[in-house]
Amino acid sequence: MITTEQKLTIKDLKSAVKPIWCPGCGDYGVLNAVMKTIIGLQLDPSHVAMVSGIGCSGRFPAFVNAYGFHGVHGRALPFASGVKLANPDLTVFVLGGDGDAFSIGAGHLPHAARRNIDLTYIVMDNSIYGLTKGQPSATSPADVLQQSTVKYKGRRKGMTGMLNLAQTVSPVNPIAMALAYEASFVARGFSGAPKELHEILKTAVLHRGFSLVQVISPCTTFYDTYNYWRQLAQPLPADHDCTDRAAAFRLALELDKAYLGIFYQVERPSFEDQVAKLIAQPTDSFAPTAVASLLNRFRR
Ligand SMILES: Cc1ncc(C[n+]2csc(CCOP(=O)(O)OP(=O)(O)O)c2C)c(N)n1
Ligand code: SF4
């Protein structure tokens, strides 16, 4: 625990486990930005939790001196929701890759968003499955590089070949998806633009409700898109009103530009605030004891 007299530094936040990402991996930039955010806001690490799924990005909690949980592929959001509901005083970061968030775990996103659970969900989007060596993901563009092609060997004789399903399938649009699900905070950052990323994360953490931050975080080993994104990346128009959901949609659908910044932010009651209110003032259709005993399982 950090006392009020002590100032939190990067040394306090770095765990004994050194990151083992490949040289140049975008995830290093995200780790730095998250640490800078915790330091900038002087969050007490004993009141911070990092929850991840599986993937290169899923290693994240191991590198930070805070509560951490490295769960199963695609299931970070439900676990993090339990953590936040049972421990509302914790600042909860959820970390994942595009596969974790928009492929196998995509079914959890609408529900975390509509409940408005106060989580900061950082999706390190490299448009590829990094950990399993380069298969296309839900955000891989249709003309994804040949190097992401999966070598396919079927069980039956003669069933061999190359599969590149992404060549025929359109990618999902994470910003438009989060807007459709009514996430109360939707933003895009880029690991190649660290100052801007830090600003976005600071606002996302301070936002009371569900924040989806898509961070373009290239995979230098299997799909190095740094130059591509550097050409497309630009700030959102200065006159964008981030409470205007329709305007946010229009900007999200401009696919020839990669806008960075906060597309959308509105205030609405968080799920945990509503649950706390129900526990304090139960109604006939609500069993506070059962809910309290369920939440106890997640308490630290
Ligand atoms: C249920 C399940 N299915 C498949 C896998 C294999 N698997 C591990 S990581 C991964 C994809 C990782 O890609 P992504 O989430 O984009 O993260 P990255 O490694 O790129 O950071 C897959 C398919 C698994 N661990 N569990
Ligand atoms: S394989 Fe790609 S995503 Fe994974 S650590 Fe290496 S560069 Fe990063």
Side-chain angles (χ1 to χ4, degrees), residues 128-150:
I128 209 86
Y129 291 174
L131 188 74
T132 46
K133 299 185 187 294
Q135 299 81 17
S137 83
T139 61
S140 299
D143 58 350
V144 76
L145 295 178
Q146 196 60 31
Q147 69 198 42
S148 73
T149 299
V150 181

Side-chain angles (χ1 to χ4, degrees), residues 21 27 54-58 72-75 96-101 103-104 124-133 135 137 219:
W21 292 313
D27 295 359
I54 298 289
C56 295
S57 43
V72 289
H73 196 31
R75 304 292 177 252
D98 38 295
D100 211 56
S103 298
I104 192 169
M124 284 161 263
D125 186 356
N126 52 20
S127 297
I128 209 86
Y129 291 174
L131 188 74
T132 46
K133 299 185 187 294
Q135 299 81 17
S137 83
C219 167

Side-chain angles (χ1 to χ4, degrees), residues 224-293:
D224 190 345
T225 52
Y226 267 115
N227 286 339
Y228 173 80
W229 289 114
R230 278 203 181 101
Q231 278 165 26
L232 290 195
Q234 56 190 283
L236 279 163
D239 62 353
H240 172 53
D241 169 6
C242 67
T243 64
D244 184 342
R245 191 155 158 247
F249 260 118
R250 279 193 295 276
L251 292 163
L253 297 178
E254 282 186 38
L255 300 179
D256 55 333
K257 301 185 185 86
Y259 287 121
L260 305 182
I262 299 166
F263 283 73
Y264 187 61
Q265 181 174 18
V266 286
E267 295 297 327
R268 50 170 224 271
S270 73
F271 191 63
E272 58 275 20
D273 283 353
Q274 294 183 67
V275 170
K277 220 152 113 191
L278 274 173
I279 290 176
Q281 294 167 336
T283 59
D284 288 347
S285 59
F286 185 80
T289 339
V291 172
S293 95

Side-chain angles (χ1 to χ4, degrees), residues 81-106:
S81 303
V83 169
K84 182 66 189 179
L85 275 177
N87 307 277
D89 59 317
L90 288 185
T91 299
V92 183
F93 290 88
V94 191
L95 298 311
D98 38 295
D100 211 56
F102 308 127
S103 298
I104 192 169

